[in-house]
Amino acid sequence: MQKNSTILLVLFISSMVLSACGGSSQTDNETINEDNTTTVQSTFNPDNFHVGALLQTPTTESCTLSGGTVTTCYRVTIPGEPVTNEIGPFCPPTIYSDASEGGIWFDGSGEVYDIDGEFILNLDTLYGSDWQLYDPDTGLVNVTDTQAACEGAARPNVAEEYQNHCVECSLSYLESAVEQTYLIPVEPVALANPNSIGGDNLGITLNGVVLAPPAPVSAILAANTIAAFDDCGGHINPFEGYHYHASTGCTETLLQSDNHASLLGYALDGYGIYGMRNLAGEEDYDLDECRGHSDESRGYHYHSASAGENMFIGCFHGEQGSLVH
């Protein structure tokens, strides 16, 4: 993947912005260190979000979690689009486009591909001879550049005219606002046996975006389509809005003082989700099946998988809060 340096720059700048402009009050699960860095316990903390990532000051209320536990939850409303960076680009316009004109693609194999012109040109080698997402006469890439095309390609049964397309959508196609409200437990309630992720959203990021479950890449590829992600691992569904399917560095914005991986957001069970690698580029190898473990500073918390794995965490360690409809 060719854009690592750009993503790391965005991560560094975002971290500095958060330090300068984030919440200023110290809470019970926050420690200010001598070097003015912050180590944060992994229970949900509204002060950790970027300015604008919470549309309202979170309130608390009684709630019932997925396992039936009645407890206290934060009511949290996010904008559904990132407050730290622009969305896109997704699909390259031509087979001559470089990596800056498109996003990325991952299919769960472990690889992350730049969606540039060369990638589009060589899809028949990667996935089969029936793949051709461009006009051989003009070199133009077949892109779903209208609302009708976007909706036709984003459904489970892709219409034939939208097969062999690079799929991208616009937030302007959505009929209603993309903001979403969640109930997240103030104190996590651990499960005796972990819960599977399923097909629902699994959390929110510090910059105001939903963390989605693994992308249905098998269904996408079955229609000879590429549902392009931008460099931050997000894309737009015309029915659900913008959401992330992977961590690429853009969301890992709250630096830790002890070389630990940066915080990127929270799962719906209230536990923090951190990046896969620490600041030295090292990965933790004592993670459980949910991709979580405990330490003295943070208690139990998760570490995101690599983008190429098409996932954030493997399962829920705790009872989950819920989307407020």
Side-chain angles (χ1 to χ4, degrees):
M1 185 172 156
Q2 300 175 355
K3 303 175 181 124
N4 288 343
S5 59
T6 300
I7 290 173
L8 287 174
L9 178 60
V10 171
L11 170 60
F12 176 77
I13 293 173
S14 297
S15 301
M16 295 304 102
V17 171
L18 182 57
S19 298
C21 303
S24 59
S25 61
Q26 183 177 349
T27 63
D28 291 341
N29 61 358
E30 180 179 351
T31 301
I32 304 300
N33 303 285
E34 292 181 358
D35 59 358
N36 205 34
T37 57
T38 305
T39 299
V40 184
Q41 299 288 338
S42 282
T43 52
F44 188 89
N45 186 348
D47 288 341
N48 291 336
F49 286 76
H50 287 271
V51 173
L54 300 179
L55 295 182
Q56 303 165 5
T57 300
T59 57
T60 56
E61 61 186 73
S62 178
C63 61
T64 302
L65 303 181
S66 61
T69 298
V70 178
T71 186
T72 302
C73 284
Y74 284 111
R75 176 179 283 260
V76 183
T77 301
I78 59 172
E81 52 185 302
V83 298
T84 55
N85 54 272
E86 298 294 328
I87 294 174
F90 299 103
C91 298
T94 77
I95 58 174
Y96 311 108
S97 299
D98 62 25
S100 69
E101 297 179 80
I104 60 175
W105 170 249
F106 42 81
D107 56 15
S109 65
E111 294 291 330
V112 177
Y113 305 94
D114 284 323
I115 305 182
D116 54 13
E118 183 178 2
F119 173 79
I120 297 293
L121 194 61
N122 293 320
L123 278 170
D124 57 344
T125 301
L126 185 62
Y127 292 128
S129 59
D130 58 336
W131 281 73
Q132 184 171 303
L133 273 64
Y134 66 95
D135 184 327
D137 295 326
T138 64
L140 296 176
V141 176
N142 304 329
V143 179
T144 57
D145 54 2
T146 67
Q147 182 170 350
C150 159
E151 293 178 353
R155 64 184 61 177
N157 297 317
V158 178
E160 185 175 353
E161 62 265 35
Y162 301 124
Q163 296 181 14
N164 269 303
H165 272 66
C166 185
V167 181
E168 66 176 32
C169 300
S170 169
L171 285 178
S172 65
Y173 300 161
L174 276 70
E175 295 182 0
S176 58
V178 296
E179 65 184 57
Q180 296 189 45
T181 299
Y182 289 90
L183 295 177
I184 298 178
V186 172
E187 293 293 337
V189 178
L191 289 161
N193 297 298
N195 279 351
S196 62
I197 295 299
D200 295 327
N201 294 327
L202 60 92
I204 58 177
T205 63
L206 301 182
N207 66 347
V209 178
V210 167
L211 295 171
V217 292
S218 295
I220 294 168
L221 294 175
N224 286 35
T225 56
I226 296 294
F229 308 102
D230 62 19
D231 288 348
C232 291
H235 64 186
I236 299 167
N237 180 298
F239 312 106
E240 300 178 3
Y242 181 79
H243 50 268
Y244 292 125
H245 281 288
S247 171
T248 64
C250 297
T251 55
E252 301 165 16
T253 55
L254 188 57
L255 296 174
Q256 305 293 288
S257 63
D258 56 358
N259 196 45
H260 189 274
S262 299
L263 182 68
L264 67 89
Y266 295 94
L268 292 186
D269 57 12
Y271 291 112
I273 305 176
Y274 293 77
M276 184 177 74
R277 300 181 185 277
N278 64 24
L279 297 185
E282 300 165 336
E283 184 177 359
D284 289 301
Y285 292 102
D286 62 341
L287 305 180
D288 61 23
E289 60 189 308
C290 297
R291 292 195 56 81
H293 67 172
S294 296
D295 64 30
E296 292 183 0
S297 297
R298 283 155 285 269
Y300 186 86
H301 59 281
Y302 301 106
H303 284 270
S304 177
S306 66
E309 295 173 78
N310 182 29
M311 62 181 291
F312 288 98
I313 61 176
C315 50
F316 288 110
H317 182 76
E319 294 186 35
Q320 304 98 63
S322 59
L323 172 67
V324 178
H325 294 283

